[in-house]
Amino acid sequence: GPHRTADVGCGAGAVTAFMAEEGADPLGIDVSAAMVAEAARRHPNIDVEVGDMRRLLRPTTAAGWGAVVAWHSLAHFAPSELPGIIRGLAEVLLPDGVLALAVQTGAGVDRREEWFGESVDLTFVRHDVVEVRKAVQAAGLAYIESYVVNDDEPAERLYLIASG
């Protein structure tokens, strides 16, 4: 639609750039200034800024976001944090706005010391499908689409789209 989209936890901006190429008006937001700089370097035609999804504000030019996308960015939070984060993302949506989530599912964490040939220190938290769905419903959103994918990737994933 015509409304602005927030890509929270945008990292290097691949999803933000894809949305822009498809005609959306996205803003990539990441807590890491280094990742925002990398996103701007890789995708000079997208808007990116430093920000924290746990305190996402409405866009400066509208009453809310048309969509908020959290594509694998919830992997950096403990399961106990999800209800509050998801509620906060839902609260800044327009009444007909959409929340799109992608998370690795299961229990436990994955530690990475190398990523695409680079040395890193990352922890990825897997989330329980039932708990994610409960957090979305508790935030006052209804499912549009929700499915779990289990293929050749290292972890099963939940993709969920919901709206108020």
Side-chain angles (χ1 to χ4, degrees):
H3 305 291
R4 198 95 208 253
T5 298
D7 178 16
V8 296
C10 71
V15 172
T16 311
F18 174 78
M19 289 188 293
E21 289 168 9
E22 294 299 314
D25 183 16
L27 172 64
I29 302 165
D30 202 284
V31 71
S32 166
M35 291 309 296
V36 168
E38 183 65 15
R41 184 188 70 76
R42 289 184 186 195
H43 311 283
N45 296 325
I46 63 171
D47 294 334
V48 288
E49 65 182 41
V50 175
D52 189 334
M53 76 172 73
R54 293 169 295 184
R55 291 180 284 285
L56 183 63
L57 301 174
R58 289 173 173 80
T60 57
T61 58
W65 297 98
V68 174
V69 175
W71 218 243
H72 296 289
S73 55
L74 297 174
H76 304 294
F77 299 99
S80 62
E81 295 176 280
L82 282 190
I85 293 169
I86 291 172
R87 184 175 46 258
L89 298 177
E91 288 173 352
V92 296
L93 285 171
L94 290 169
D96 61 345
V98 172
L99 177 65
L101 307 175
V103 298
Q104 288 189 348
T105 63
V109 298
D110 293 326
R111 297 260 318 137
R112 298 273 174 95
E113 294 178 0
E114 184 269 331
W115 189 277
F116 298 106
E118 298 291 326
S119 180
V120 297
D121 180 19
L122 293 173
T123 300
F124 294 95
V125 178
R126 294 182 182 195
H127 294 286
D128 181 83
V129 172
V130 172
E131 294 303 315
V132 174
R133 288 179 174 154
K134 282 172 39 177
V136 168
Q137 287 180 316
L141 300 176
Y143 302 128
I144 295 172
E145 188 172 345
S146 171
Y147 52 95
V148 176
V149 175
N150 188 359
D151 52 19
D152 293 335
E153 293 295 319
E156 184 176 87
R157 296 164 322 281
L158 167 67
Y159 297 95
L160 187 146
I161 301 170
S163 182

